[in-house]
Amino acid sequence: MREDVKEYYGKTLAGSEDLKTDACCTLEAPPQNIREIQKKIHPEVSGHYYGCGLIIPQEINGLRILDLGSGSGMDVYTLSAMVGKSGYIVGVDMTDEQLAIARRHREYHAEAFGYEQSNVEFHKGYLEQLDELNLEPGSFDLIVSNCVINLCQDKEAVLKHCHRLLKEGGEMYFSDVYSDRRVPESLRQDPELYGECLSGALYWNDFHNLAKNCGFADPRLVEDRPLGLNNDSVIERIGHIGFYSATYRLFKIDDLEPACEDYGQAVKYLGGIEEQEQQFTLDKHHLIEKGRLFPVCGNTYRMLNESRFAKYFEFYGSWDQHFGIFEGCGSSLPYDRVAAPNESDSGGGCC
Ligand SMILES: C[S@@+](CC[C@H](N)C(=O)[O-])C[C@H]1O[C@@H](n2cnc3c(N)ncnc32)[C@H](O)[C@@H]1O
């Protein structure tokens, strides 16, 4: 399947417009500041973009970032402009043709962003074998990835490497495709459905459990959208399954609790984060208004207090008293479910 994926992204697809579904497309327009940067990206790079979401969190100036499955380099170069001269981006991909495009335009982008030398590098490698690339454990502030992990055969190995490579308080912030049920093995063997980022997708609850097993105890959903399959042959084969593009953030913070627990704590956002002056978005369930006391569970308190966001918050409360489970950090069914394209709406359940 690895060779099929290389063939798909290296040879079958001549550019973004050859995709059969909107699984590997980012439909929503990025914020204005990112649009301005992306106008400077070389057209050969943007013409081979196959990402499914926006993988740029807040407050990244000066960060050292790893992009898993960096493809033609669209996100690497966007991040390159955003981290400034003191930041650095490492891209990893296994497909020669994609790497060649990305590498070809290093100097072009350094010049476009006003840097004396490029602040990006690209490595050829498999994400399941990141340990072979000589990357220092604990050396990245942020790991991003855009529509790639679904294509990896051993997703557990990938997440474990990420946990090892992140600094304490760092995070993975990545978009990928998830399904509303487990995809049967027969469909996983279909090279087109796999290459289109569908049949390798994890069932969302398997992903949550996998992330927890790999050291990311409290996965946070940032945003999601149902995917349009938009192709009769694809719908016929896999249309009974609902697919979603979703962006998660996984903080590397030791001993987060397996559930959101209430210690009566709260935070106050002080403002100061670029593009989020009035409201800070931690995830889909935490839109934290500037100046307002915002009750949080113990895990959210620690995500803000033990990460690069700490200086933008005031923290209230202690760990002395436990008040039970904390309601409000998200439901067990993360996505707003919609009927799959060929799903009957006859219901049939007892409720
Ligand atoms: C859907 S494309 C996304 C590319 C890029 N992130 C973007 O947004 O344009 C998937 C990329 O992941 C790479 N890829 C897939 N599986 C991989 C693996 N196991 N190891 C390294 N790269 C992989 C492919 O070569 C391809 O470039």
Side-chain angles (χ1 to χ4, degrees), residues 9 49-51 69 93-95 98 125 127-128 146-148 151:
Y9 287 96
Y49 170 64
Y50 305 117
D93 205 286
M94 68 178 183
T95 302
Q98 291 277 80
L127 304 181
E128 293 87 343
N146 206 341
C147 219
V148 176
L151 295 167

Side-chain angles (χ1 to χ4, degrees), residues 2 66-69 92 125-131 143-145 148-166 172 174 176 194 202 207 210-211 214-216 250:
R2 233 184 212 173
L66 175 64
D67 182 3
L68 306 178
V92 177
Y126 295 112
L127 304 181
E128 293 87 343
Q129 288 146 241
L130 282 172
D131 51 331
I143 298 181
V144 298
S145 182
V148 176
I149 294 174
N150 71 86
L151 295 167
C152 294
Q153 300 283 292
D154 186 350
K155 296 164 173 59
E156 181 172 354
V158 178
L159 289 188
K160 284 190 168 156
H161 286 307
C162 290
H163 193 265
R164 188 177 52 81
L165 290 169
L166 275 173
M172 258 189 102
F174 65 109
D176 208 349
Y194 201 92
L202 275 179
F207 164 69
L210 180 66
C214 296
F216 299 108
L250 311 178

Side-chain angles (χ1 to χ4, degrees), residues 16-81:
S16 319
E17 65 286 347
D18 287 348
L19 290 163
K20 297 208 159 40
T21 71
D22 70 15
C24 304
C25 304
T26 308
L27 299 184
E28 68 275 27
Q32 183 63 25
N33 61 332
I34 297 178
R35 281 210 299 272
E36 289 307 316
I37 290 169
Q38 291 185 339
K39 281 183 196 160
K40 297 183 183 166
I41 303 272
H42 194 283
E44 194 185 15
V45 168
S46 52
H48 290 81
Y49 170 64
Y50 305 117
C52 55
L54 189 63
I55 52 159
I56 302 178
Q58 314 90 334
E59 198 56 13
I60 61 169
N61 191 30
L63 297 195
R64 186 172 151 79
I65 303 176
L66 175 64
D67 182 3
L68 306 178
S70 44
S72 62
M74 179 76 172
D75 290 316
V76 167
Y77 288 121
T78 307
L79 290 162
S80 156

Side-chain angles (χ1 to χ4, degrees), residues 8 25 30 61 82 120 126 135 144 171 174 216 225 273 335:
Y8 205 68
C25 304
N61 191 30
M82 298 185 78
V120 313
Y126 295 112
L135 302 169
V144 298
E171 64 168 322
F174 65 109
F216 299 108
R225 72 176 163 95
I273 294 183
Y335 317 132

